[in-house]
Amino acid sequence: MSDLRFPFVLHGGDYNPEQFPESVWDEDVELMKKAGVNVVTLPVFGWGNIQPDEDIWTFEWLDRVIEKLHAGGIKICLATATAATPPWVDQKYPDILRVDSEGRKVSHGGRHTFCPHSKNFRRLVISLATKMAERYGDHPALVVWHISNEYGNTCYCEKCSAAFREWLKARYGTLQEVNFRWNTAFWGQTYTDWSQIEAPVSLGQRTFQGLILDYDRFQSESILDSYRAERDVVRAISPNIPITTNLMGTFKTLDYHSWAKELDIVSWDCYPPRSAAPEWIAFRHALMRGLKEGEPWMLMEQTPSQQNWQKYNSLKRPGVMRLWSYQAMAHGADTIMYFQWRRSPGAAEMFHGAVVEHAASSEARVFKEVAVLGRELESLGDATIGGRVEAQVALLFDWENWWAVEYSIGPSGDLKYLPATLAPYKALFDAGITVDVVSPEADLSKYKLVIAPVLKMVKTGVAEKLEQFTRAGGTFVATYFTGIVDGTDRAFPNGYPGPLSDLLGIWVEETDALSPEEKNSALFSGENGHIFECGLLCDRIQLRGAEALATYMQEFYAGEPVVTVNRFGEGSAYYVGSALEESGAAWLYADIAAKAGVEPVDLGPAIKGVEVVLRGGLYYVLNHCRTEQSVVLREGRFSDLLSGQVYEGEITLPAYAVAILRPEA
Ligand code: GLA
Ligand code: ZN
């Protein structure tokens, strides 16, 4: 089962009825109907309420909640309830409690406190997931399984160390190979026995990037094993219901590309910070969409109003929740859900936004906004469901590369992967060009332009693939600090950019690191003679077949290339050897895209602050500005699925407004 296809948008959220008396449950169902809510997720943190002791099961309350919801026509996203261990579990089986990266064993409390190699934990969650699946696995209201919740915490305990050694044996075969890969000859650290290898706690062995990279991989896989164990029992008993777990966008700890292979459908929780720019959100949606090469996904959580875990938890301004919901749909979501349905009466999340306030009034602003959106989504029926986002550009994103870039000791402490990947994304976003964010393993043949920002780690097979893409007429762009190491963080012996040297036609001889105050400039050749500031890193490039498009203006390397292009087969490969200022990136990437034959979304000229995405033949027009904006439309008539109006020539959108335009035949 790999699909969650309803002829309507699923709209709802996390529901925690166990925190309220039963009398509230009936009110909840009535309010849900009023809000156009047709799905809820539960009981995410209900373990202790379902199994108050090892041999005591109290499912009856959950049976009654589920029946009430079902009678009200509400569908269920059923959690396996394993995300927070009840007190008795940790008291009885202390081996479950994880050890953090400082080497401290956690005490009972909070959530995600388990060690992925605890056999007791594994046995208990399998038993709970099995019971859940047996009891509800063919319930008519059940639409999707939600395993655990927001996996993420890693463990550094003795059990994990032992399992790590086994993992290394399977990966490398011999200790000699491990020593070679990690270059342990450095500082005389050669391991002479497997038992000497330990989890890299903060006061332990963190000298070897290869080791910490492998430990991150091992933990990501170990936690994934925990997910898989629950998934497998659920799938065996409830084979017709798709299975997911909620991801967290640019969450560094887990390699979501390998995780996504194990999910039937991708779901994620989107919590933009206070003043997130539209492309901040769009980038993460694109990343989550790319996990399954463009398949529709679920927005599992967003706050309807405010969060509680930022320092200043601003309210979403009127219209913003609706705007961000449609932005998610524009980027591939077929499901819009909130955390949370009703505010907790106490404890850590009582101030987190909810559809229903403590006052439980359907007159509250947030409730009314949710209800308006609910009605609107209902009226869309299946018009938006299942559509694919159209993109001609792929940006490569790789978790292991992220770890490798940020574990680098040198050349610059300011080098961070996310800003480096967001820079080209933003440049194209502002030019009205839609970009997919995908793994280097993805099928690239459908794209015209592929951008690999800061691809320090080039794994086996990637260079050949990029060569093939470019040879066949594609345009490839790499940036500074690329092609440095292989998959085990060993430097390529023949210089940078390693296996991409032929494709890019250059040799990067040295890299200068600049402080934030220091800048160089890039002078572009051609009539316009553009000059842009650049900084962070400045690669000193020797041409090996490529030509220089821009040269440095300062320092002893003034006059040397900073941006190059190499003709390769039918295509072109660019190298951008320094971080260009924003206007420079905007100009350069728009220019490269135009030369690559990439077109902006063809609704009309791009306007700053108004995002347009073409998904499933529909143009989502999203006004992210606080002010009214007008978009000039290309020739033709367009009907707005939301307002029912037909537009020709121009469409004017008030602040935060949205239109979903269908071209009229
Ligand atoms: C996460 C969790 C939820 C809740 C929200 C609060 O996304 O999955 O249970 O804690 O954060 O923002
Ligand atoms: Zn552990």
Side-chain angles (χ1 to χ4, degrees):
M1 180 81 207
S2 66
D3 224 341
L4 182 67
R5 273 301 160 84
F6 284 93
F8 51 85
V9 177
L10 286 173
H11 177 231
D14 268 45
Y15 183 36
N16 305 307
E18 65 275 16
Q19 294 178 31
F20 301 90
E22 277 207 49
S23 54
V24 172
W25 304 353
D26 295 307
E27 184 186 49
D28 280 330
V29 174
E30 285 316 304
L31 286 171
M32 283 173 194
K33 287 196 225 161
K34 219 169 176 175
V37 159
N38 55 28
V39 66
V40 294
T41 303
L42 86 171
V44 179
F45 301 105
W47 185 348
N49 308 81
I50 292 166
Q51 191 186 12
D53 211 335
E54 186 144 11
D55 304 313
I56 305 175
W57 298 92
T58 50
F59 279 109
E60 296 71 22
W61 68 271
L62 186 56
D63 295 348
R64 291 199 295 283
V65 179
I66 289 180
E67 280 327 301
K68 281 182 201 288
L69 292 164
H70 182 44
I74 316 284
K75 310 250 172 255
I76 291 170
C77 167
L78 195 61
T80 51
T82 52
T85 48
W88 68 262
V89 169
D90 290 332
Q91 187 182 43
K92 191 165 176 185
Y93 303 110
D95 69 290
I96 289 179
L97 291 164
R98 71 184 184 97
V99 169
D100 76 357
S101 58
E102 310 273 302
R104 302 171 303 192
K105 187 175 174 73
V106 305
S107 297
H108 173 76
R111 46 189 189 180
H112 278 293
T113 49
F114 70 89
C115 161
H117 289 281
S118 160
K119 293 204 168 61
N120 284 316
F121 183 76
R122 188 63 64 88
R123 175 176 55 76
L124 290 169
V125 296
I126 288 181
S127 138
L128 177 51
T130 305
K131 291 254 185 208
M132 292 291 289
E134 283 169 354
R135 198 163 185 106
Y136 306 111
D138 55 6
H139 194 286
L142 176 61
V143 292
V144 58
W145 280 104
H146 179 295
I147 308 286
S148 191
N149 190 69
E150 292 192 341
Y151 280 102
N153 286 341
T154 47
C155 181
Y156 293 77
C157 78
E158 289 292 322
K159 295 187 292 296
C160 284
S161 283
F164 181 46
R165 292 189 280 270
E166 295 310 309
W167 185 91
L168 290 169
K169 283 180 196 162
R171 185 176 176 92
Y172 295 113
T174 63
L175 198 52
Q176 196 185 3
E177 182 67 10
V178 172
N179 280 315
F180 172 71
R181 288 288 149 204
W182 297 350
N183 193 35
T184 55
F186 178 76
W187 289 353
Q189 295 301 309
T190 303
Y191 291 104
T192 52
D193 192 273
W194 287 103
S195 62
Q196 293 156 358
I197 300 178
E198 293 176 333
V201 291
S202 61
L203 294 180
Q205 185 52 284
R206 295 191 68 85
T207 308
F208 299 98
Q209 290 96 298
L211 189 167
I212 41 187
L213 258 175
D214 274 339
Y215 199 76
D216 282 2
R217 285 186 180 118
F218 157 74
Q219 279 288 321
S220 179
E221 287 178 23
S222 301
I223 301 170
L224 180 56
D225 267 345
S226 195
Y227 160 85
R228 229 186 258 123
E230 288 193 41
R231 182 213 49 198
D232 289 350
V233 294
V234 167
R235 183 176 279 166
I237 301 165
S238 178
N240 299 320
I241 303 293
I243 302 174
T244 190
T245 184
N246 46 344
L247 310 179
M248 292 177 278
T250 45
F251 178 67
K252 193 175 173 186
T253 312
L254 303 179
D255 174 5
Y256 282 158
H257 282 124
S258 56
W259 275 67
K261 295 183 185 133
E262 309 290 336
L263 311 183
D264 292 332
I265 184 165
V266 167
S267 65
W268 89 280
D269 302 344
C270 182
Y271 290 99
R274 203 174 152 81
S275 52
E279 71 276 3
W280 186 101
I281 307 175
F283 176 81
R284 283 153 178 87
H285 287 332
L287 176 66
M288 294 293 96
R289 173 177 80 234
L291 294 181
K292 278 199 171 294
E293 303 206 2
E295 284 179 22
W297 48 273
M298 304 175 72
L299 182 67
M300 187 64 89
E301 292 181 23
Q302 65 170 338
T303 176
S305 54
Q306 68 197 138
Q307 293 148 39
N308 71 329
W309 42 267
Q310 313 250 9
K311 183 157 187 203
Y312 306 107
N313 296 283
S314 58
L315 298 174
K316 282 186 180 169
R317 275 20 191 179
V320 171
M321 184 277 291
R322 175 175 178 267
L323 171 71
W324 286 0
S325 299
Y326 283 118
Q327 187 185 19
M329 285 169 60
H331 284 277
D334 280 347
T335 309
I336 300 296
M337 292 167 80
Y338 312 98
F339 182 88
Q340 51 192 335
W341 166 252
R342 191 187 272 267
R343 271 187 202 242
S344 309
E349 291 187 326
M350 65 188 292
F351 298 117
H352 196 286
V355 178
V356 179
E357 302 288 334
H358 286 142
S361 168
S362 57
E363 293 307 306
R365 172 184 77 93
V366 173
F367 186 93
K368 287 197 283 193
E369 285 194 38
V370 169
V372 167
L373 178 63
R375 293 280 98 80
E376 220 170 52
L377 295 175
E378 263 165 34
S379 73
L380 287 174
D382 67 354
T384 60
I385 302 295
R388 293 302 185 107
V389 174
E390 294 186 26
Q392 302 170 353
V393 183
L395 190 135
L396 303 187
F397 189 98
D398 182 351
W399 264 265
E400 295 183 333
N401 179 58
W402 184 359
W403 303 336
V405 166
E406 295 186 7
Y407 284 144
S408 296
I409 302 170
S412 167
D414 283 349
L415 179 61
K416 296 280 175 273
Y417 191 49
L418 292 183
T421 48
L422 193 58
Y425 184 88
K426 178 176 168 42
L428 295 171
F429 181 92
D430 286 344
I433 293 169
T434 305
V435 175
D436 281 346
V437 180
V438 300
S439 150
E441 281 180 23
D443 173 17
L444 302 177
S445 61
K446 61 181 174 195
Y447 298 107
K448 292 180 178 168
L449 171 61
V450 170
I451 304 170
V454 193
L455 195 63
K456 175 194 178 192
M457 175 184 283
V458 182
K459 295 182 210 160
T460 313
V462 170
E464 294 73 14
K465 188 173 169 178
L466 292 169
E467 284 187 354
Q468 203 184 335
F469 165 79
T470 313
R471 193 178 292 118
T475 300
F476 172 64
V477 184
T479 75
Y480 53 93
F481 209 57
T482 282
I484 315 283
V485 297
D486 66 15
T488 57
D489 211 61
R490 271 192 79 91
F492 290 117
N494 300 322
Y496 315 142
L500 297 174
S501 300
D502 282 352
L503 174 56
L504 293 163
I506 55 169
W507 172 38
V508 175
E509 185 190 342
E510 296 185 283
T511 299
D512 199 8
L514 277 56
S515 76
E517 301 76 48
E518 293 171 309
K519 295 289 171 206
N520 206 311
S521 316
L523 168 65
F524 283 82
S525 50
E527 302 138 34
N528 299 325
H530 285 294
I531 296 175
F532 298 109
E533 268 189 358
C534 62
L536 183 67
L537 295 180
C538 293
D539 283 340
R540 285 196 53 231
I541 300 168
Q542 291 211 19
L543 301 175
R544 292 279 187 273
E547 65 179 281
L549 292 179
T551 48
Y552 290 110
M553 295 177 76
Q554 282 95 37
E555 276 310 328
F556 73 93
Y557 41 90
E560 293 182 7
V562 50
V563 179
T564 63
V565 64
N566 190 37
R567 309 290 156 207
F568 192 85
E570 301 291 302
S572 307
Y574 291 79
Y575 189 78
V576 185
S578 183
L580 291 174
E581 64 175 311
E582 199 176 301
S583 57
W587 175 80
L588 178 64
Y589 284 103
D591 188 60
I592 292 174
K595 291 191 173 120
V598 171
E599 294 113 28
V601 182
D602 63 339
L603 185 70
I607 299 191
K608 199 165 168 47
V610 180
E611 183 183 4
V612 182
V613 185
L614 179 58
R615 177 188 176 204
L618 301 171
Y619 294 91
Y620 291 73
V621 191
L622 306 146
N623 181 10
H624 292 284
C625 307
R626 291 162 187 238
T627 51
E628 178 182 286
Q629 299 293 325
S630 295
V631 178
V632 175
L633 302 172
R634 68 165 153 83
E635 229 171 90
R637 286 156 59 81
F638 299 86
S639 58
D640 178 7
L641 300 191
L642 298 175
S643 66
Q645 287 203 47
V646 175
Y647 294 93
E648 223 181 323
E650 191 180 76
I651 178 170
T652 298
L653 294 167
Y656 304 135
V658 182
I660 304 180
L661 299 182
R662 178 159 46 204
E664 299 265 287

Short mmCIF file of all heavy atoms in Angstrom, two decimals, residues 35-56:
data_model
loop_
_atom_site.label_atom_id
_atom_site.label_comp_id
_atom_site.label_asym_id
_atom_site.label_seq_id
_atom_site.Cartn_x
_atom_site.Cartn_y
_atom_site.Cartn_z
N ALA A 35 -15.79 22.83 12.18
CA ALA A 35 -14.52 23.34 11.64
C ALA A 35 -14.13 22.66 10.33
O ALA A 35 -13.05 22.93 9.80
CB ALA A 35 -13.41 23.15 12.67
N GLY A 36 -14.99 21.81 9.82
CA GLY A 36 -14.63 21.12 8.58
C GLY A 36 -13.45 20.18 8.79
O GLY A 36 -12.68 19.91 7.86
N VAL A 37 -13.32 19.69 10.00
CA VAL A 37 -12.24 18.73 10.29
C VAL A 37 -12.72 17.33 9.95
O VAL A 37 -13.81 16.93 10.38
CB VAL A 37 -11.81 18.84 11.78
CG1 VAL A 37 -11.10 17.59 12.26
CG2 VAL A 37 -10.90 20.05 11.96
N ASN A 38 -11.94 16.61 9.16
CA ASN A 38 -12.39 15.26 8.78
C ASN A 38 -11.40 14.16 9.16
O ASN A 38 -11.58 13.01 8.81
CB ASN A 38 -12.70 15.21 7.27
CG ASN A 38 -11.52 15.68 6.43
OD1 ASN A 38 -10.37 15.55 6.85
ND2 ASN A 38 -11.79 16.24 5.26
N VAL A 39 -10.32 14.55 9.88
CA VAL A 39 -9.36 13.53 10.32
C VAL A 39 -8.68 13.99 11.61
O VAL A 39 -8.45 15.20 11.79
CB VAL A 39 -8.30 13.26 9.22
CG1 VAL A 39 -7.44 14.49 8.98
CG2 VAL A 39 -7.43 12.06 9.56
N VAL A 40 -8.41 13.07 12.51
CA VAL A 40 -7.57 13.41 13.67
C VAL A 40 -6.50 12.34 13.88
O VAL A 40 -6.68 11.18 13.52
CB VAL A 40 -8.37 13.56 14.99
CG1 VAL A 40 -9.31 14.76 14.92
CG2 VAL A 40 -9.12 12.29 15.35
N THR A 41 -5.38 12.77 14.47
CA THR A 41 -4.29 11.86 14.83
C THR A 41 -4.38 11.59 16.32
O THR A 41 -4.41 12.52 17.12
CB THR A 41 -2.93 12.54 14.56
OG1 THR A 41 -2.88 12.92 13.19
CG2 THR A 41 -1.78 11.59 14.86
N LEU A 42 -4.40 10.34 16.69
CA LEU A 42 -4.39 9.97 18.11
C LEU A 42 -3.97 8.52 18.26
O LEU A 42 -3.96 7.82 17.25
CB LEU A 42 -5.77 10.23 18.75
CG LEU A 42 -6.88 9.14 18.68
CD1 LEU A 42 -8.03 9.53 19.56
CD2 LEU A 42 -7.37 8.86 17.28
N PRO A 43 -3.60 8.05 19.41
CA PRO A 43 -3.23 8.73 20.64
C PRO A 43 -1.70 8.78 20.70
O PRO A 43 -1.07 7.85 21.21
CB PRO A 43 -3.80 7.79 21.70
CG PRO A 43 -3.68 6.41 21.06
CD PRO A 43 -3.57 6.57 19.59
N VAL A 44 -1.14 9.87 20.17
CA VAL A 44 0.32 9.92 19.96
C VAL A 44 1.10 9.65 21.25
O VAL A 44 2.09 8.93 21.24
CB VAL A 44 0.73 11.28 19.35
CG1 VAL A 44 2.24 11.34 19.15
CG2 VAL A 44 0.03 11.50 18.03
N PHE A 45 0.62 10.24 22.34
CA PHE A 45 1.34 10.04 23.61
C PHE A 45 0.49 9.25 24.61
O PHE A 45 0.56 9.47 25.80
CB PHE A 45 1.75 11.40 24.18
CG PHE A 45 2.63 12.16 23.22
CD1 PHE A 45 2.13 13.23 22.49
CD2 PHE A 45 3.94 11.76 22.99
CE1 PHE A 45 2.93 13.90 21.57
CE2 PHE A 45 4.74 12.43 22.08
CZ PHE A 45 4.24 13.50 21.36
N GLY A 46 -0.27 8.29 24.07
CA GLY A 46 -1.24 7.59 24.91
C GLY A 46 -0.78 6.28 25.54
O GLY A 46 -1.58 5.58 26.16
N TRP A 47 0.50 5.97 25.39
CA TRP A 47 0.98 4.67 25.89
C TRP A 47 0.52 4.39 27.32
O TRP A 47 -0.12 3.38 27.63
CB TRP A 47 2.51 4.60 25.76
CG TRP A 47 3.14 3.30 26.11
CD1 TRP A 47 2.56 2.21 26.76
CD2 TRP A 47 4.49 2.90 25.82
NE1 TRP A 47 3.47 1.19 26.88
CE2 TRP A 47 4.66 1.59 26.32
CE3 TRP A 47 5.57 3.54 25.21
CZ2 TRP A 47 5.88 0.90 26.21
CZ3 TRP A 47 6.78 2.86 25.09
CH2 TRP A 47 6.93 1.55 25.59
N GLY A 48 0.86 5.33 28.22
CA GLY A 48 0.54 5.14 29.64
C GLY A 48 -0.96 5.03 29.91
O GLY A 48 -1.37 4.44 30.91
N ASN A 49 -1.76 5.61 29.03
CA ASN A 49 -3.21 5.55 29.22
C ASN A 49 -3.80 4.26 28.67
O ASN A 49 -4.92 3.89 28.99
CB ASN A 49 -3.88 6.73 28.53
CG ASN A 49 -3.28 8.05 28.92
OD1 ASN A 49 -2.24 8.44 28.39
ND2 ASN A 49 -3.86 8.72 29.88
N ILE A 50 -3.04 3.59 27.83
CA ILE A 50 -3.52 2.35 27.22
C ILE A 50 -2.98 1.14 27.97
O ILE A 50 -3.64 0.11 28.07
CB ILE A 50 -3.02 2.27 25.75
CG1 ILE A 50 -3.70 3.32 24.91
CG2 ILE A 50 -3.28 0.88 25.17
CD1 ILE A 50 -3.01 3.50 23.57
N GLN A 51 -1.75 1.30 28.48
CA GLN A 51 -1.10 0.20 29.18
C GLN A 51 -0.52 0.72 30.50
O GLN A 51 0.69 0.99 30.60
CB GLN A 51 0.04 -0.37 28.28
CG GLN A 51 0.61 -1.67 28.79
CD GLN A 51 1.83 -2.12 27.96
OE1 GLN A 51 2.38 -1.37 27.15
NE2 GLN A 51 2.24 -3.37 28.16
N PRO A 52 -1.36 0.85 31.53
CA PRO A 52 -0.87 1.43 32.79
C PRO A 52 0.10 0.54 33.54
O PRO A 52 0.79 0.99 34.46
CB PRO A 52 -2.14 1.69 33.60
CG PRO A 52 -3.22 0.91 32.93
CD PRO A 52 -2.80 0.64 31.52
N ASP A 53 0.18 -0.74 33.15
CA ASP A 53 1.21 -1.63 33.70
C ASP A 53 1.44 -2.72 32.66
O ASP A 53 0.63 -2.90 31.75
CB ASP A 53 0.78 -2.21 35.04
CG ASP A 53 2.01 -2.44 35.92
OD1 ASP A 53 3.12 -2.60 35.35
OD2 ASP A 53 1.87 -2.46 37.15
N GLU A 54 2.52 -3.48 32.85
CA GLU A 54 2.90 -4.39 31.77
C GLU A 54 1.77 -5.33 31.36
O GLU A 54 1.61 -5.61 30.17
CB GLU A 54 4.16 -5.19 32.15
CG GLU A 54 4.64 -6.03 30.97
CD GLU A 54 6.15 -6.14 30.87
OE1 GLU A 54 6.85 -5.73 31.82
OE2 GLU A 54 6.62 -6.63 29.83
N ASP A 55 1.00 -5.82 32.32
CA ASP A 55 -0.05 -6.78 31.97
C ASP A 55 -1.45 -6.19 32.01
O ASP A 55 -2.43 -6.93 32.01
CB ASP A 55 0.02 -7.99 32.91
CG ASP A 55 1.41 -8.61 32.86
OD1 ASP A 55 1.91 -8.81 31.74
OD2 ASP A 55 2.01 -8.80 33.93
N ILE A 56 -1.54 -4.90 32.08
CA ILE A 56 -2.88 -4.29 32.13
C ILE A 56 -3.10 -3.45 30.87
O ILE A 56 -2.29 -2.58 30.54
CB ILE A 56 -3.03 -3.38 33.38
CG1 ILE A 56 -2.70 -4.19 34.64
CG2 ILE A 56 -4.43 -2.78 33.46
CD1 ILE A 56 -2.71 -3.36 35.91
#
